[in-house]
Each structure stands twice: as C-alpha cells, then as structure tokens.
Amino acid sequence: MRYILLIALTLIFSQLMGNSIFSFDGMPQEYNGNDVYGLGMGETGSGDLFRINPNFTNPSVATTTDKVLFSTGVSLGWMWYKDTYNNKYRDDGIYFPYFSIAVPLKNHRIGFNFNSIYSGNLENEKETIWTSDLGDTLNYVETNKLSSNVYRADAIYAYKNPYVNFGIAVNYYIGHRIRYWKLDFDEYTMTDTKYEIEKTFENPGVTIGLSKKMENFSLGATYSTYAKLEGDEIYKYGHAPYADTLDLNLTDDFLFEVPTRISGGLTWKFIDKYKASFDVYYAMWEDTESYDKNSLKIGFGLAYDPLSGYGGWLERIPVRIGGYYRELPFEKNQEKITEQALTFGLSIPLKSPNKKIDLAVKYMTRGDVDKHGLSDESLMFSFGITGFDIFRKRPKKIEHRDIPKEDRR
C-alpha cells in the first residue's frame, strides 16, 4: 500500500501550478524548495541545521536526517486579481510544492527531490460587442489560456563531516509553455477561430551546497549552474484555411534558459527554544535571453521551537512567523515588479517520535495597479507531513512460545 501511495503522489505532481495575473508577461511564481516548516517562517531555512530539514534545494542539508526521511506537502487558497479599470476577479488554486526522500548510509546521504521552480498560469474570458462603421454588430467571446511551468527533479548525494557538510545534486529540468486563444462568434455565418502554441523543453544541470553548524549558528550556501533547455515547439490551428488541426513540429536550439543561481542561509538559535533565520536568493537572469533583469529575494523568520515531549500541550507546539521581499526578473509598463509576503506557521506533533504535521499561512501581494495596471493578492494555506523509516515494516509483537505439557504421574 505504501508503494502505491508514493507512486500516486509522484503522478499528482504533474498538476503543479501557480496562478498570477502577470503570467502573460513571464513566469512570476518562484519556489525555492522550502518545506512547509520553512514556508511559515518567511520561506527561509536553507541553512537551518537545528532540525531535521527536508529543504533539499541546498543538497548538503540532507545530512540533518539520521533515518529514512519522507516529506511532502500541499498548498491551496485564493488569488485576487485587479486592473487599472477596477475590474476584480478571484481565482482558486492548489499545488504540491515539493516531494523529498533521503536515505542515510553512515555519514553519507542519498536522496531524491521533485518540485516546481517557476510557473505562471492564467485563464480569462471576455464577451465583446463590436460595431462596424455600417452599423453591423458582432457578438463574440474571446478566451485566453496560458499554462507555463518549469519542474526540477534532483538526485542528491550528501556527506556529513565535522568540518563542513557537502552536497551535490544532479538536476533535471522539465518545462512547458502552452498558449491557447479562441474567438467564439454568436453569428453562424462567422467562422470561429482558435489556435494553440505548445512549447516543451528539458535538460540537466548541477547544484552544489555547503553547510556548517557552529554552536548556536548554522550556515548554508548553494550554487546552481546555468542550464539551456531545449525542446519542441508545436503550432496547432483550428480555423481556415485548414479544414482541421495542423501540427507543425519545429525544433529550436533552446526554448528557455535557467539562470545561474546563488543563495545563502543563516540560522541563529538563542534562549534555548528560539531561532531566527535569514535567507538570500539571487538569480542572474541578465545572462539569459529568458528575462532581462536579475532577481533578488530576501526572507526572514522567527521560530519558537521547544524540545519535543516536554512541558504542557501548548508548550509543545512550535510556532513560526516571517516574511520576505522579492524582485521579479521582468518588468511591466517599464516598471520593476516586486512581491511581498507575511507568513505564519505551526507544527502538530504526532504520537510517533519525530513525526509531525506542519501548517503554514501566507498572505502575498505582487505588483501595483498605479504602476503596472495590474496587481495580485493571494492567501495560501499549506499542509506538510514529515515521517521516518517509511519502508521499514512494523516489528512483530508476538513471538513463538512453547505450550507447557501436562505433567502426568
């Protein structure tokens, strides 16, 4: 049963997505590999070695686990869009931010991680009445859809030692961008028009990570290489002069570029039960043809992290708060787009040692109507589970016993 569950979770990840009104300008959603614990702490934790940490964006952090680790989560909530004409729309969204496994072998760790790193999805529909100079009118519905995602699968190796933890991940990027457009006329004399442009791309990359714990401080640093993603571009038409759908399969040199990225994380543990984390992410988009602005993200978080199993029920509940600031790698109306968020999180310990359910809430704003003509708001709720030794069978509690025979005289 457990193997069926793992396969099902892997298949579910094909539905990873993030929605934004800025999606037609680029992929505004970015995910940096945080588990739900880190999502509630300002999306930090890439250098946190004071807990069992499944944030494998820094592959060396896999050394924090001493048992087989399994961790995954789900995020769902609402997004509100607004434009300069005061048009408003609410959208619903659900996505699976990460899926990770780590297996310890003495001082070595072997792991796997899968998550979405960039995304931008949007669908809108508008009814229009067009009047010609002769007074004729046309009624039609215009539909625009966009689905764009880049996923990353990591095969991870990490080595734990007293000097500095080292980790390396072989990344494999898989992405697509599907653009759909349709005009649906009320008049039967008019021909409905539609087309779809589908781009699919893939290629490998490499990520190297280091981490170190020093009494009350822990540090982490990560470097991810540039990757040129190659693939196919398919045009599908459903209107005259073609009687049906025509597929033109065109191969390009590249369809998307993942930039060189560097990041660093610092965690400070103080007053025994409290922690503070600070993370910085920097992506060099100016060296690519995908976007023309380097992007920066800064996150900060505080946590109350009591020792498991001690104190009253309320004293055992870990609580976190935080926030972040991020600059997007593209502009709108020649103005820089920024993103700000506030986060909150807590954990619910389970009966089994080191197993827990993490909860996180994030309120985010992106863009400014006055500057960009568009803006995003979202309220997302995340649920994560972390467990250990998922492949180990439950030990038998019953042993064979010899039944004593009756003593006959």
Side-chain angles (χ1 to χ4, degrees):
M1 180 65 184
R2 70 187 68 182
Y3 302 107
I4 296 174
L5 176 61
L6 291 178
I7 294 171
L9 285 171
T10 303
L11 293 175
I12 286 172
F13 273 91
S14 64
Q15 301 301 316
L16 278 165
M17 61 189 304
N19 300 345
S20 171
I21 199 170
F22 292 98
S23 295
F24 287 116
D25 301 289
M27 284 190 274
Q29 299 278 8
E30 181 179 277
Y31 176 67
N32 293 295
N34 306 96
D35 63 326
V36 174
Y37 183 109
L39 291 178
M41 198 174 170
E43 299 195 0
T44 62
S46 64
D48 187 356
L49 303 182
F50 293 105
R51 65 181 178 96
I52 298 166
N53 189 352
N55 182 351
F56 293 164
T57 295
N58 181 343
S60 71
V61 171
T63 59
T64 59
T65 180
D66 293 323
K67 296 180 180 180
V68 175
L69 167 73
F70 164 76
S71 184
T72 189
V74 60
S75 297
L76 66 162
W78 303 280
M79 290 135 282
W80 292 270
Y81 309 142
K82 185 178 180 181
D83 66 15
T84 190
Y85 303 106
N86 207 33
N87 296 314
K88 299 180 181 180
Y89 174 69
R90 195 197 80 183
D91 198 3
D92 303 326
I94 179 170
Y95 67 99
F96 296 83
Y98 67 97
F99 170 80
S100 58
I101 294 177
V103 180
L105 301 169
K106 294 185 178 181
N107 289 336
H108 309 275
R109 303 293 184 271
I110 304 297
F112 172 80
N113 185 66
F114 186 84
N115 61 266
S116 170
I117 56 173
Y118 308 116
S119 65
N121 301 274
L122 189 63
E123 178 178 347
N124 62 36
E125 191 173 88
K126 181 176 66 173
E127 295 183 5
T128 302
I129 300 176
W130 178 78
T131 304
S132 70
D133 295 336
L134 300 176
D136 298 328
T137 60
L138 288 176
N139 300 302
Y140 62 89
V141 176
E142 182 178 0
T143 302
N144 283 278
K145 296 181 184 179
L146 178 68
S147 173
S148 54
N149 292 274
V150 178
Y151 313 116
R152 191 176 82 178
D154 303 327
I156 298 168
Y157 167 77
Y159 178 68
K160 184 177 184 179
N161 67 84
Y163 302 104
V164 61
N165 301 318
F166 169 80
I168 185 169
V170 177
N171 318 125
Y172 199 82
Y173 300 97
I174 303 172
H176 71 263
R177 188 181 191 275
I178 303 173
R179 178 76 166 86
Y180 175 86
W181 176 82
K182 180 181 179 181
L183 284 183
D184 187 3
F185 293 94
D186 287 347
E187 289 76 6
Y188 72 93
T189 57
M190 300 298 296
T191 302
D192 294 339
T193 304
K194 62 180 179 180
Y195 72 82
E196 181 177 284
I197 302 174
E198 178 181 0
K199 298 179 181 180
T200 56
F201 35 85
E202 58 187 299
N203 249 342
V206 175
T207 296
I208 298 172
L210 302 173
S211 58
K212 172 72 175 176
K213 184 191 291 186
M214 300 173 293
E215 295 184 353
N216 295 333
F217 290 90
S218 68
L219 302 168
T222 307
Y223 174 86
S224 294
T225 62
Y226 162 88
K228 179 181 287 189
L229 309 189
E230 302 175 349
D232 297 327
E233 188 169 0
I234 302 174
Y235 293 81
K236 302 177 182 179
Y237 299 87
H239 56 84
Y242 308 109
D244 206 339
T245 300
L246 175 68
D247 293 355
L248 299 177
N249 198 332
L250 304 178
T251 301
D252 204 346
D253 290 338
F254 70 91
L255 297 173
F256 191 80
E257 292 172 281
V258 176
T260 300
R261 288 159 295 159
I262 56 175
S263 65
L266 168 67
T267 297
W268 173 39
K269 190 175 179 64
F270 60 98
I271 319 180
D272 191 33
K273 299 180 181 179
Y274 298 88
K275 289 191 305 184
S277 287
F278 177 78
D279 280 27
V280 177
Y281 303 87
Y282 190 74
M284 303 176 190
W285 289 103
E286 290 182 2
D287 297 333
T288 73
E289 294 186 23
S290 299
Y291 304 119
D292 55 5
K293 287 180 61 64
N294 293 340
S295 65
L296 171 70
K297 181 179 179 181
I298 300 173
F300 178 77
L302 293 170
Y304 167 70
D305 218 4
L307 188 64
S308 177
Y310 292 87
W313 186 80
L314 287 176
E315 294 176 308
R316 300 182 188 182
I317 302 297
V319 180
R320 301 168 287 278
I321 60 172
Y324 70 79
Y325 166 88
R326 174 176 167 246
E327 297 175 352
L328 272 65
F330 54 88
E331 296 180 340
K332 182 72 174 179
N333 294 342
Q334 297 182 336
E335 293 282 352
K336 179 173 67 175
I337 305 172
T338 62
E339 175 181 313
Q340 302 80 218
L342 295 174
T343 67
F344 171 79
L346 56 85
S347 299
I348 301 176
L350 303 178
K351 289 184 178 181
S352 301
N354 294 319
K355 293 184 179 180
K356 60 179 180 174
I357 296 175
D358 291 320
L359 308 175
V361 181
K362 179 174 79 170
Y363 172 72
M364 184 274 299
T365 62
R366 181 187 296 120
D368 187 308
V369 171
D370 294 333
K371 292 181 179 179
H372 311 112
L374 304 170
S375 68
D376 272 351
E377 287 182 81
S378 66
L379 181 64
M380 302 298 294
F381 300 87
S382 299
F383 306 86
I385 184 168
T386 301
F388 299 86
D389 289 341
I390 59 172
F391 298 108
R392 180 178 295 176
K393 293 183 179 180
R394 182 180 298 177
K396 293 182 179 180
K397 300 292 185 179
I398 301 175
E399 295 290 340
H400 174 73
R401 294 191 306 171
D402 292 330
I403 300 174
K405 296 181 180 179
E406 180 182 359
D407 186 14
R408 294 181 180 181
R409 292 183 181 180

